[in-house]
């Protein structure tokens, strides 16, 4: 019991220490920066400065202003004159236009009177023609009416003869129908008796058939039960066999997986080594490309040092502008360094995502010419 | 890694009860109890703390780079006006920058587009041509003057580096173009440009039957627009600009004997300031423009004198039996460098400008002469000769090291440009003379070609 108690404190302290260490370990991970989209190259609106204009140029514009005012006044006057002239001309034109319109109206009236006279004469002639025609039509109408009356009389006579013949035909038909009906009733009676006999026969046969069917069904049921039992047995056997198969396969799979994992581990090791090499290669490639793009400024001397920080997209493009974190003191040297980095885009960063994020997403260049 | 000490602890806590396992640190007393619980905790805690909290960022060192001229594209400037542009400003800027050796310009045929405003620029197009910088511009004619605007872009950053607007009357258009080159050059290289300066030099043309005509000419720094300011059938030598750039002093033999003249460039009037018996040569202006240092041999052998131009008083600075000549003032006026053969062969010496206290400067090579102080006072350019091979060299006054810059074999008359970076000098190859410029670190070389036959003794305007 005593020893148990003595374990409590160390246990608690050990736990606390573990917690602290784990939290430190967790904090050691860098937070992943968000990947921003590449900015489009901007064309920045140029702002221009003016250098001092020599004094002679200033004196001249003043004189020009004075004469310009006078010129403007004269122009105004001229403009007014022109306006008045234009107004007089416009009035004259209006008067002339009214005259012309009046003359035109008078002509139109006389022409119209002529036309009316001619129209009246034409109308009178037409009316005489119409009266003549009407008389002819009426004569024809009277003749037609007389002919119609004669025809009607003849038609009436024919109708009376026809009616008589029809009545005789109808009487004969009625007698024939009555005969036919009596014959039909006798035939129906005989049919009914026959049908009844047939029905009784059918009923007897039906009963016999039902019995036979019941027997058959029984036999079928027994057979089905037997078949079911057999089927179940077969299924059970199949299941057992399948289970055995599955177990066999599982065992084989486990063995294969083990082999796989061993292989994977070896592959992972190789990949890690390759990644490290890829990182070195990328670093050298970037160094070479920037060196080839760096046109040293004429002021570059050994001892100058400039440090630039860049952030890259996964394609090797610089995000925003490289930031000078340590200037060399010479603006032109710093500029040449920034230009070198921008000119070397796209930088040959490694394709492996994890390696890129770890080392190549954000890093620095130090420009230090040596000889 | 971090868990191991924890496990160790764990084992010890429990195992320590029953067994007598102990190490140096994890001690147990005779009864098998823990000696110091807290000591253990502390130890493990300290060991456990070597869990790395942050990872060190990768750093790539770039130590080489390439030495190359900076690729720059100068697009022909757009023009708005009646007749065509009288001066092709874009092409002047293009030639200046390319000739400087610092830039590699793009020829017009390779350009995919010709933008003249910022909106028309497609940066990835110029990136595909491998250009680092782009210069575009526009010229608009307005009331007889020209409104010029230009902008320079950094192609890879996609930003404007500088932009200016200026007005220029027609006769000044070339000068304005050179000023544009100066502005661009200074911004992109950190050195002041010298494209808008002028140079003076002597040409010598044969007129047949042993007659030559010697001319003193002033031209733009690119050799354009040469103007003759003096000409003579007799030799002209040693032109020297006054510090304000308005006057030139030179030696002329037109009166069959050497005389030193000072000529005002704007008016063409000149004064004869020295015509002593014997040698009158190598005039050098003091930085305040009041005095001329000269070589005169009137007292027997060539010595250095200082002539005050307003009072015409003469002060003798050197007194020796050797030849002392070719004086050059330091920019602060306190010292004079000159050539002397008092040591046996021509070498450079330095003394206070009040005279006396001469000290030898050059100790390498068998010939050092023709000294020229740089405007910033840090360097001296000279002709450095070895067994007949004469080259231009520069001495750093702080360290006294001498660097040979050119290839010779007959290079002479070095003259510093106002930015203290370029040195203009004369050279001969195949019998003809021509002018060249070299940068002070020896990396940039340019050749100025003139259509006259022989060109000598250049001097850059201040």
């Amino acid at each position: 019991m005593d020893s148990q108690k003595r374990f409590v404190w160390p246990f608690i302290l050990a736990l606390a220490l573990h917690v602290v260490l784990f939290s430190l370990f967790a904090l050691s991970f860098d937070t992943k920066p968000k990947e921003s989209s590449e900015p489009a190259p901007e064309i920045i609106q140029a702002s221009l400065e003016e250098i001092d204009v020599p004094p002679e140029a200033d004196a001249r514009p003043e004189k020009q202003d004075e004469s310009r005012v006078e010129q403007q006044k004269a122009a105004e006057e001229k403009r007014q004159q022109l306006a008045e002239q234009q107004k007089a001309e416009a009035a004259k034109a209006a008067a002339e236009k009214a005259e012309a319109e009046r003359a035109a109206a008078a002509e139109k009236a006389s022409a119209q009177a002529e036309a009316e006279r001619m129209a009246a004469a034409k109308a009178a002639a037409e009316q005489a023609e119409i009266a003549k025609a009407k008389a002819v039509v009426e004569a024809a109408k009277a003749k037609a009416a007389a002919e119609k009356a004669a025809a009607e009389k003849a038609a009436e006579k024919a109708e009376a003869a026809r009616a008589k013949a029809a009545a005789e035909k109808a009487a004969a038909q009625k007698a024939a129908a009555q005969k036919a009906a009596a014959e039909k009733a006798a035939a129906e009676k005989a049919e009914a008796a026959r049908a009844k006999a047939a029905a009784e026969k059918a009923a007897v046969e039906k009963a016999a058939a039902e019995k036979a069917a019941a027997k058959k069904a029984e036999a079928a049921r027994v057979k089905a039960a037997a078949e079911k039992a057999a089927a179940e047995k077969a299924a059970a056997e199949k299941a057992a066999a399948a289970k055995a198969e599955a177990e066999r396969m599982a065992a084989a799979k486990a063995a294969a997986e083990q082999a796989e994992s061993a292989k994977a581990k070896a592959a992972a090791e190789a990949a890690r080594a390759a990644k490290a090499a890829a990182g070195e290669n990328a670093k050298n490639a970037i160094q070479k490309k920037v060196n080839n793009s760096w046109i040293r400024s004429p002021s570059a001397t050994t001892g100058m040092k400039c440090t630039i920080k860049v952030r890259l997209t996964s394609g090797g493009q610089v995000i925003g502008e490289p930031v000078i974190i340590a200037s060399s003191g010479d603006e032109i040297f710093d500029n040449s360094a920034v230009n070198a980095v921008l000119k070397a885009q796209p930088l040959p960063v490694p394709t492996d995502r994890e390696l890129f994020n770890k080392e190549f997403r954000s890093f620095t260049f130090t420009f230090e010419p040596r000889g | 890694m971090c868990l191991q000490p924890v496990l160790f602890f764990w084992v010890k806590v429990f195992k320590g009860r029953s067994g007598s396992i102990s190490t140096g640190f994890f001690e147990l007393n005779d009864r098998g109890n823990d000696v110091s619980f807290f000591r253990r905790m502390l130890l493990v805690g300290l060991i456990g703390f070597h869990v790395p909290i942050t990872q060190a960022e990768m750093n790539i060192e770039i130590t080489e780079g390439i030495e190359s001229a900076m690729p720059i594209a100068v697009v022909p400037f757009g023009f708005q006006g009646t007749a065509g542009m009288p001066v092709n400003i874009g092409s002047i800027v293009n030639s200046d920058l390319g000739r400087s050796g610092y830039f590699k310009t793009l020829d017009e045929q390779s350009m995919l587009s010709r933008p003249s405003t910022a909106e028309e620029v497609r940066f990835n197009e110029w990136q595909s041509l491998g250009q680092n910088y782009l210069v575009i511009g526009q010229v608009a004619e307005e009331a007889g003057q020209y409104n010029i605007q230009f902008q320079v872009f950094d192609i890879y950053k996609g930003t404007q580096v500088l932009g200016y607007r200026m007005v220029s009357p027609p006769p000044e258009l070339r000068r304005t173009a050179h000023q544009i080159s100066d502005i661009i050059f200074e911004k992109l290289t950190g050195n002041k440009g010298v494209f808008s300066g002028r140079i003076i030099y002597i040409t010598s043309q044969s007129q047949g039957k042993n007659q030559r005509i010697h001319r003193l000419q002033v031209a733009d720094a690119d050799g354009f627009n040469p103007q003759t300011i003096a000409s003579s059938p007799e030799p002209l030598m040693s032109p020297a600009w006054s510090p304000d750039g308005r006057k030139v002093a030179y030696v002329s033999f037109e009166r069959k004997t050497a005389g030193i003249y000072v000529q005002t460039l704007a008016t063409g009037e000149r004064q004869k300031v020295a015509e002593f018996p014997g040698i009158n040569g190598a005039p050098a202006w003091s930085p305040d423009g009041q005095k001329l240092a000269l070589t005169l041999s009137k007292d027997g052998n060539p010595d250095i004198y200082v002539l005050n131009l307003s009072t015409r008083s003469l002060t003798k600075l050197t007194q020796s039996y050797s030849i002392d000549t070719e004086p050059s003032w330091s920019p602060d006026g306190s010292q004079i460098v000159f050539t002397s053969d008092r040591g046996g062969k021509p070498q450079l010496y330095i003394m206070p400008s009040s005279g006396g206290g001469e000290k030898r400067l050059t100790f390498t090579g068998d010939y050092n002469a023709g000294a020229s102080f740089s405007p910033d006072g840090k360097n001296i350019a000279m002709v450095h000769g070895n067994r007949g091979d004469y080259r231009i060299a520069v001495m750093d006054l702080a360290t006294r090291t001498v660097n040979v810059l050119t290839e010779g074999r007959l290079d002479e008359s070095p003259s510093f440009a106002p930015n203290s970076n370029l040195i203009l000098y004369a050279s001969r190859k195949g019998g003809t003379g021509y002018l060249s410029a070299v940068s002070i670190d020896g990396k940039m070389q340019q050749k100025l070609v003139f259509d006259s036959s022989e060109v000598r003794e250049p001097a850059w305007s201040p």
Side-chain angles (χ1 to χ4, degrees):
Chain A
M1 269 326 113
D2 200 17
S3 63
Q4 279 276 346
K5 232 195 224 168
R6 290 197 76 187
F7 275 145
V8 170
W9 262 117
F11 180 77
I12 292 175
L13 284 164
L15 197 67
L17 186 70
H18 276 74
V19 168
V20 166
L21 285 166
F22 274 128
S23 63
L24 286 172
F25 189 59
L27 277 175
S28 76
F29 285 112
D30 278 353
T31 50
K32 284 205 179 94
K34 292 198 201 88
E35 191 173 313
S36 50
S37 56
E38 300 169 27
E42 296 175 41
I43 297 178
I44 296 177
Q45 278 300 324
S47 60
L48 298 169
E49 307 165 37
E50 232 168 281
I51 60 171
D52 290 322
V53 176
E56 306 106 60
D58 275 29
R60 256 173 260 143
E62 283 189 344
K63 273 195 212 141
Q64 284 179 356
D65 279 345
E66 280 189 6
S67 62
R68 215 184 291 153
V69 169
E70 287 212 14
Q71 271 179 5
Q72 277 180 352
K73 239 192 246 175
E76 264 293 322
E77 286 192 16
K78 212 186 251 176
R79 228 178 289 148
Q80 272 180 357
Q81 275 182 3
L82 259 162
E84 283 179 6
Q85 222 172 7
Q86 277 177 353
K87 225 187 271 179
E89 282 179 358
K92 197 173 183 183
E96 283 180 358
K97 197 172 174 185
E99 271 287 332
E101 278 183 0
R102 227 176 296 145
E107 279 221 21
K108 206 178 190 178
S110 67
Q112 216 167 15
E114 266 290 325
E116 278 181 2
R117 223 179 302 139
M118 287 189 58
K122 203 183 202 172
E126 277 182 1
Q127 243 174 6
E129 285 261 352
I130 290 174
K132 209 195 271 173
K134 227 190 226 172
V136 169
V137 165
E138 285 200 338
K141 224 191 248 177
K143 194 172 181 186
E147 284 179 357
K148 199 176 184 183
E152 278 183 356
K153 225 186 250 175
E156 276 180 15
K157 223 189 247 171
E159 272 285 331
R162 219 183 297 146
K164 200 172 178 188
E168 285 179 355
K169 198 179 190 178
Q173 275 186 341
K174 199 170 176 184
Q178 275 183 338
K179 196 176 188 184
E183 286 182 353
K184 197 175 184 185
E188 279 184 356
K189 225 188 242 171
E191 270 289 328
R194 216 182 301 145
K196 202 169 174 185
E200 283 177 357
K201 191 175 184 183
V204 166
E205 284 184 346
K206 195 172 178 183
E210 277 183 1
K211 217 190 247 174
K215 225 187 269 179
K216 203 186 216 167
E218 265 292 332
R221 220 179 295 147
V222 166
K223 191 173 177 187
E227 279 184 349
K228 195 172 177 182
E232 278 181 0
K233 192 170 176 187
E237 280 179 0
K238 202 181 199 173
K243 197 169 175 185
E245 262 296 319
E247 278 180 2
R248 219 179 304 146
M249 286 182 65
K253 198 178 190 179
E257 274 181 2
Q258 214 159 28
E260 280 270 341
S261 79
K263 209 194 284 179
K265 216 190 239 173
E269 275 293 330
R272 217 175 296 147
K275 211 184 270 190
E280 268 302 309
N281 284 344
K283 192 172 168 182
N284 287 339
I286 292 177
Q287 188 180 44
K288 191 169 177 192
K289 196 167 182 195
V290 173
N291 256 316
N292 285 342
S293 306
W294 183 29
I295 295 180
R296 276 158 73 159
S297 63
S299 51
T301 48
T302 49
M304 281 184 154
K305 190 172 175 182
C306 171
T307 307
I308 296 179
K309 180 167 178 160
V310 292
R311 288 183 62 233
L312 302 180
T313 66
S314 55
Q317 300 281 355
V318 174
I319 299 176
E321 266 205 38
V323 175
I324 299 173
I325 42 183
S327 164
S328 61
D330 181 353
E331 191 193 330
I332 293 185
F333 181 83
D334 294 345
N335 259 341
S336 75
V338 169
N339 258 317
V341 173
L342 289 173
K343 197 166 182 179
Q345 287 177 101
L347 295 172
V349 289
T351 46
D352 177 71
R353 204 64 169 155
E354 192 197 324
L355 181 59
F356 170 76
N357 283 331
K358 186 163 161 223
E359 300 213 321
F360 289 84
R361 186 171 280 283
S362 165
F363 61 94
T364 59
F365 285 102
T366 302
F367 283 79
E368 197 174 357
R370 282 189 207 142
Chain B
M1 198 163 44
C2 63
L3 295 177
Q4 279 168 1
V6 177
L7 285 172
F8 202 55
F9 182 118
W10 190 265
V11 163
K12 278 300 153 190
V13 164
F14 287 90
K15 272 265 194 243
R17 298 272 166 279
S18 45
S20 51
I21 306 162
S22 67
T23 63
F25 239 123
F26 285 52
E27 286 173 314
L28 301 172
N29 60 19
D30 325 303
R31 280 170 55 217
N33 296 328
D34 294 302
V35 169
S36 166
F37 204 82
F38 273 103
R39 201 153 42 123
R40 271 197 235 199
M41 283 284 292
L42 192 64
L43 174 71
V44 173
L46 288 173
I47 294 174
F49 257 80
H50 74 268
V51 172
I53 304 249
T54 52
Q55 295 205 341
E57 223 174 24
M58 174 171 83
N59 181 63
I60 301 184
E61 292 194 336
I62 308 291
T63 58
E64 288 166 41
I66 46 179
E67 295 240 3
S68 153
M70 182 78 67
I72 191 169
V74 181
V75 180
F77 281 28
F79 180 68
Q80 293 162 18
T82 49
M85 207 165 24
V87 165
N88 190 339
I89 296 185
S91 118
I92 294 175
V93 172
N94 196 42
S95 307
D96 283 347
L97 295 177
R99 224 178 48 239
S100 71
Y102 282 89
F103 294 100
K104 186 160 68 172
T105 54
L106 184 67
D107 66 293
E108 211 182 304
Q109 278 93 332
S110 306
M111 293 185 189
L112 301 172
S113 68
R114 286 166 179 56
S116 52
T117 60
E119 293 80 27
E120 296 168 5
V121 176
R122 307 256 167 279
F123 287 104
N124 44 11
E125 184 183 287
W126 300 99
Q127 280 177 18
S128 72
L129 290 169
Q131 301 302 305
N132 277 42
Y133 292 102
L134 176 68
V135 180
I136 64 173
Q138 256 187 343
V139 180
E141 192 185 345
E142 188 187 320
Q145 307 257 66
Y146 290 94
N147 293 332
I148 302 162
Q149 98 181 16
F150 70 97
Q151 296 161 264
V152 179
F153 295 95
D154 180 325
I155 297 293
Y156 286 94
K157 278 192 193 162
T159 56
Q160 176 179 296
V161 173
L162 57 82
Y164 282 93
R165 210 178 279 151
M166 46 228 290
V167 182
S168 171
E172 297 274 291
L173 277 175
R174 275 199 86 90
R175 186 125 199 280
T176 304
H178 287 307
Q179 281 172 341
I180 292 176
S181 303
D182 280 342
I183 294 171
I184 297 175
F185 187 85
E186 184 167 356
K187 182 71 183 180
L188 297 184
T189 67
N191 289 320
K192 277 189 94 60
V194 288
F195 304 107
S196 53
R198 292 193 295 171
I199 55 176
I200 193 171
Y201 51 90
I202 294 177
T203 63
S204 173
Q205 224 173 7
S206 170
Q207 301 273 69
K209 45 179 166 135
N210 276 342
Q211 286 269 59
R212 294 189 82 87
I213 183 142
H214 305 269
R215 288 193 186 88
L216 188 58
Q217 294 196 312
V218 173
D220 292 349
D222 59 359
F224 208 85
N225 198 18
Q227 317 249 303
T228 302
I229 64 164
S231 69
S232 154
E234 301 300 331
L236 298 167
M237 292 165 64
S238 310
W241 289 92
S242 66
D244 60 10
R246 295 219 190 120
K247 301 194 208 143
V248 173
Y250 58 92
V251 176
S252 170
F253 281 84
E254 62 201 66
R255 287 159 57 89
K256 304 294 184 187
T257 171
I260 295 183
Y261 296 80
V262 172
Q263 182 166 333
T264 305
L265 286 171
T267 61
E269 8 170 300
R270 65 177 190 174
Q271 275 185 340
K272 182 163 56 162
V273 299
E275 202 182 31
F276 295 95
I279 295 173
N280 295 265
W285 293 82
S286 64
D288 61 5
Q290 302 294 319
K291 301 186 273 245
L292 273 182
L294 326 151
T295 301
L296 301 174
S297 68
K298 66 184 182 62
D299 289 349
N301 63 322
D303 279 314
I304 311 257
Y305 293 72
V306 171
L307 173 72
N308 184 312
L309 285 168
S310 34
T311 68
R312 296 299 165 99
S313 68
L314 204 57
T315 313
K316 187 164 176 180
L317 293 190
T318 64
Q319 183 100 18
S320 72
Y321 291 111
S322 53
I323 299 173
D324 299 321
T325 182
E326 294 179 333
S328 171
W329 295 76
S330 66
D332 63 0
S334 64
Q335 296 176 307
I336 291 180
V337 170
F338 63 98
T339 308
S340 173
D341 67 354
R342 61 187 68 185
K345 290 216 174 120
Q347 297 289 347
L348 294 183
Y349 290 76
I350 191 164
M351 66 180 170
S353 50
S354 46
E358 301 96 337
K359 291 206 179 77
R360 185 163 159 174
L361 264 188
T362 56
F363 295 90
T364 58
D366 53 35
Y367 177 99
N368 288 287
S372 167
F373 246 105
S374 68
D376 63 2
K378 292 184 186 162
N379 293 291
I380 293 180
M382 65 187 86
V383 179
H384 176 83
N386 251 320
R387 308 203 195 172
D389 180 3
Y390 297 94
R391 305 186 186 205
I392 306 297
V394 165
M395 171 185 275
D396 180 333
L397 279 172
T399 63
R400 298 292 165 100
T401 50
V402 176
N403 272 328
V404 177
L405 301 181
T406 65
E407 295 166 352
R409 298 173 62 87
L410 282 169
D411 297 337
E412 55 170 13
S413 311
S415 162
F416 265 100
N419 66 358
S420 297
N421 189 309
L422 268 181
I423 297 170
L424 184 61
Y425 65 99
S427 199
R428 289 187 80 86
K429 246 192 191 115
T432 44
Y434 57 92
L435 300 185
S436 287
V438 66
S439 63
I440 203 171
D441 54 14
K443 289 180 190 163
M444 311 297 171
Q445 298 247 10
Q446 3 162 347
K447 190 166 159 179
L448 290 151
V449 182
F450 296 81
D451 53 13
S452 52
S453 47
E454 272 206 37
V455 188
R456 292 170 23 241
E457 300 201 63
W460 217 311
S461 71

